[in-house]
Amino acid sequence: MRSVAAPGPDSQGAHVASDTAPPPRADVRAALRDCRLWRGASDAAIDALSASARVHDVARGSVLVVEGEAADRFAVLVSGKARVYHLGADGRMITFETLEAGDPVAAVAALAGGRYPAHAETVTPATVAWLTREALFDLIAAEPAVARDLLTDLANRVVNFTSVVQTLALDVPARLARYLFQRALAVGSTTPRGLEVDLGMPKSELASALGTVPETLSRAFAKLRDDGLVEVHGRRVTVLDVRGLAALGSGYDDE
Amino acid sequence: MRSVAAPGPDSQGAHVASDTAPPPRADVRAALRDCRLWRGASDAAIDALSASARVHDVARGSVLVVEGEAADRFAVLVSGKARVYHLGADGRMITFETLEAGDPVAAVAALAGGRYPAHAETVTPATVAWLTREALFDLIAAEPAVARDLLTDLANRVVNFTSVVQTLALDVPARLARYLFQRALAVGSTTPRGLEVDLGMPKSELASALGTVPETLSRAFAKLRDDGLVEVHGRRVTVLDVRGLAALGSGYDDE
DNA sequence: ACGCCACCTTGACGCGGGTCAAGTTCGGGG
DNA sequence: CCCCGAACTTGACCCGCGTCAAGGTGGCGT
């Protein structure tokens, strides 16, 4: 079952609605309340954040932050999806992160206070709540418990990043295997033939997330298929050999 | 086989100076005082940390933390140097970080609380002060201002990591150019011929830090030399064309 | 002085994977 | 029912770089 939360690219009906008007929006408040950066914050603090937020409804493909610009604000995704990425000199794109409702955008950069280290743009129509870094600092000052939430989030990010760097040292089939293994654990559904997973994105996008291009990803899928590890049907994949997948993704090379 | 330097339950310690009896060592206290993780901590808090620290003098090549083990403690380097690295399936080593006196070891992992995401070992004889993650949490609880120091350090780490990932997308000459450029700004001394930089480590180690092998690094140096950007004399490098170096390191390709 | 050894350099070769260029499949609209 | 375009696949080709194998080069102890 596909969860199409937002309409396709042909939707020009709903966006660019409330830009200047600041009536407290329930969806904004809910998104801020759910944000993991300040899980321990009081409701009053969330209300204050909501009041200071500047909410924008934007179309698919809108640029949220530009790499290199001064990081004086950040955002929380109220609805829609976004992508954090970097463009190499040759124009190739590396996707760092895919963000969903409730996720913070560029919050680390705002904390660090330098410049945005990457680009961010929406990949669906989205609602975005902008906050200033001062608002974040005020929140920390008002409620020191929030600092703990931020610390755990940042520490986890650092750990994840080391894992990303390690993964980049593997070849593409191994990276794909690792991804499929993790995703199978997260959203896999049991079937008589094996674990079935939905990729949740077009393969071209997955290729970018794995740091490669569609052609090579396609060959990697073919290799996993030939090795009897998976079956591929469009963007649904049936995992036939979970432990074989895990072994390949962990960097073994036995065959 | 290497010696394990982490303090286990049975740490008898050939070179253990003060393990059970804690006569306050001045060097330990100074190192903890200088540690950027808690710059804002009071002297009293530092004294408390020093008292709870388990100090070990270890030989070169001692393993400090092992990737995958439970991250229940961390350390501060009192003297010497250490390396944080990962071993790929084929045994290739990627160096994440090179640590010096006053730097924390595995503190992020201790904060995150899962498992160590990488190995760490000394590259010189070193003195290491071990602390428990509880001690860190106690410090944060006692002095909330410390949380701010931790936040900025962690946020900067995340930003650095995105830069590392971006750099890995460049080819080796570009990575080397970027490294030389940064190092020239940091420790370069002006000479009539150009900026002179000391690499500060053997080239084989630099190769690992740049995510490659000595042979390829050597070719990269040859390319920069042939392009007239630098002159190489052992581990001292004279930068002849700073802006050319910066352009190459930023990912341009004009020549 | 000699030789040893660690470090670096250079050449030859193979493999992974990015790029260019055709197909192929699938879904939606006329 | 057919056409068209987007997404995916497959093949051919080339380049960067890791590996293996020889040489330098310089420091240091006997």
Side-chain angles (χ1 to χ4, degrees):
Chain A
M1 191 94 44
R2 202 174 352 170
S3 63
V4 180
D10 55 325
S11 76
Q12 77 264 37
H15 56 281
V16 197
S18 61
D19 191 314
T20 50
R25 289 175 52 162
D27 55 346
V28 172
R29 200 187 167 288
L32 292 178
R33 175 74 276 182
D34 283 351
C35 184
R36 66 181 181 285
L37 291 187
W38 41 68
R39 185 142 294 163
S42 70
D43 286 345
I46 299 294
D47 288 336
L49 272 189
S50 305
S52 78
R54 302 176 73 85
V55 182
H56 289 239
D57 291 315
V58 300
R60 171 171 181 267
S62 303
V63 173
L64 296 179
V65 312
V66 174
E67 183 175 328
E69 289 193 348
D72 54 350
R73 56 195 188 145
F74 69 105
V76 172
L77 263 187
V78 177
S79 72
K81 294 187 181 182
R83 170 203 291 144
V84 179
Y85 64 99
H86 170 75
L87 293 179
D90 50 358
R92 271 197 38 230
M93 188 176 82
I94 323 172
T95 300
F96 285 109
E97 226 180 339
T98 304
L99 306 174
E100 304 190 338
D103 286 333
V105 183
V108 241
L111 263 178
R115 301 180 170 276
Y116 297 118
H119 299 281
E121 72 175 35
T122 56
V123 294
T124 69
T127 304
V128 185
W130 285 100
L131 298 164
T132 63
R133 62 189 301 251
E134 284 75 27
L136 182 56
F137 288 139
D138 291 348
L139 174 61
I140 298 173
E143 310 205 356
V146 168
R148 284 292 286 271
D149 297 326
L150 284 168
L151 279 180
T152 63
D153 180 65
L154 283 177
N156 285 324
R157 265 171 208 272
V158 173
V159 172
N160 280 339
F161 255 118
T162 72
S163 155
V164 167
V165 172
Q166 292 172 9
T167 300
L168 285 179
L170 275 48
D171 63 11
V172 175
R175 299 207 287 262
L176 173 59
R178 171 178 287 223
Y179 175 83
L180 288 177
F181 176 70
Q182 291 177 165
R183 182 132 184 118
L185 293 187
V187 301
S189 55
T190 311
T191 75
R193 316 218 45 216
L195 277 171
E196 185 163 324
V197 290
D198 187 300
L199 296 181
M201 62 179 95
K203 288 193 179 133
S204 55
E205 207 169 303
L206 176 59
S208 169
L210 294 179
T212 184
V213 295
E215 293 94 321
T216 302
L217 177 66
S218 186
R219 288 183 238 271
F221 266 119
K223 180 174 190 307
L224 297 193
R225 174 174 19 89
D226 295 347
D227 289 355
L229 298 175
V230 301
E231 265 177 12
V232 185
H233 305 101
R235 74 175 56 175
R236 302 193 69 78
V237 176
T238 307
V239 178
L240 304 176
D241 182 355
V242 183
R243 67 184 326 151
L245 210 60
L248 213 179
S250 299
Y252 279 159
D253 50 346
D254 39 4
E255 323 234 345
Chain B
M1 203 66 171
R2 283 191 166 107
S3 60
V4 176
D10 57 346
S11 69
Q12 22 57 302
H15 281 118
V16 176
S18 53
D19 194 317
T20 49
R25 285 176 57 161
D27 55 348
V28 172
R29 202 189 166 288
L32 292 178
R33 176 74 276 182
D34 284 350
C35 184
R36 66 180 182 285
L37 291 188
W38 41 68
R39 184 142 297 164
S42 69
D43 286 346
I46 299 294
D47 287 336
L49 272 189
S50 306
S52 78
R54 303 169 74 87
V55 182
H56 290 236
D57 292 315
V58 299
R60 172 168 181 270
S62 303
V63 173
L64 297 179
V65 311
V66 175
E67 184 174 326
E69 289 193 348
D72 53 350
R73 53 175 189 245
F74 69 104
V76 172
L77 263 186
V78 176
S79 72
K81 294 187 182 182
R83 169 204 291 143
V84 179
Y85 64 98
H86 170 75
L87 293 180
D90 51 357
R92 273 201 36 233
M93 190 177 80
I94 323 172
T95 300
F96 285 111
E97 228 180 338
T98 304
L99 306 175
E100 305 189 337
D103 285 333
V105 184
V108 241
L111 263 178
R115 301 180 170 274
Y116 296 118
H119 299 282
E121 71 174 38
T122 56
V123 294
T124 68
T127 304
V128 185
W130 285 98
L131 297 164
T132 63
R133 63 188 301 252
E134 283 75 27
L136 181 56
F137 288 139
D138 291 347
L139 174 61
I140 298 173
E143 310 205 355
V146 168
R148 284 291 287 268
D149 297 325
L150 283 167
L151 278 180
T152 63
D153 180 64
L154 282 178
N156 284 324
R157 264 170 208 271
V158 173
V159 171
N160 280 341
F161 255 117
T162 72
S163 154
V164 167
V165 173
Q166 292 172 9
T167 300
L168 285 180
L170 275 50
D171 64 12
V172 175
R175 298 208 286 263
L176 174 58
R178 170 179 290 221
Y179 174 83
L180 288 176
F181 176 71
Q182 291 178 165
R183 183 137 184 115
L185 293 188
V187 301
S189 54
T190 312
T191 74
R193 316 219 45 218
L195 278 172
E196 186 162 321
V197 192
D198 187 300
L199 295 182
M201 60 180 98
K203 287 193 179 133
S204 54
E205 207 169 306
L206 176 59
S208 169
L210 294 179
T212 185
V213 294
E215 294 95 321
T216 303
L217 177 65
S218 186
R219 288 182 238 271
F221 266 118
K223 181 175 190 306
L224 297 193
R225 173 173 20 89
D226 295 347
D227 289 356
L229 297 176
V230 301
E231 266 177 12
V232 186
H233 306 101
R235 73 175 57 177
R236 300 195 68 79
V237 176
T238 308
V239 177
L240 304 176
D241 182 355
V242 184
R243 68 184 325 152
L245 210 59
L248 213 179
S250 300
Y252 278 158
D253 51 345
D254 40 3
E255 325 228 347

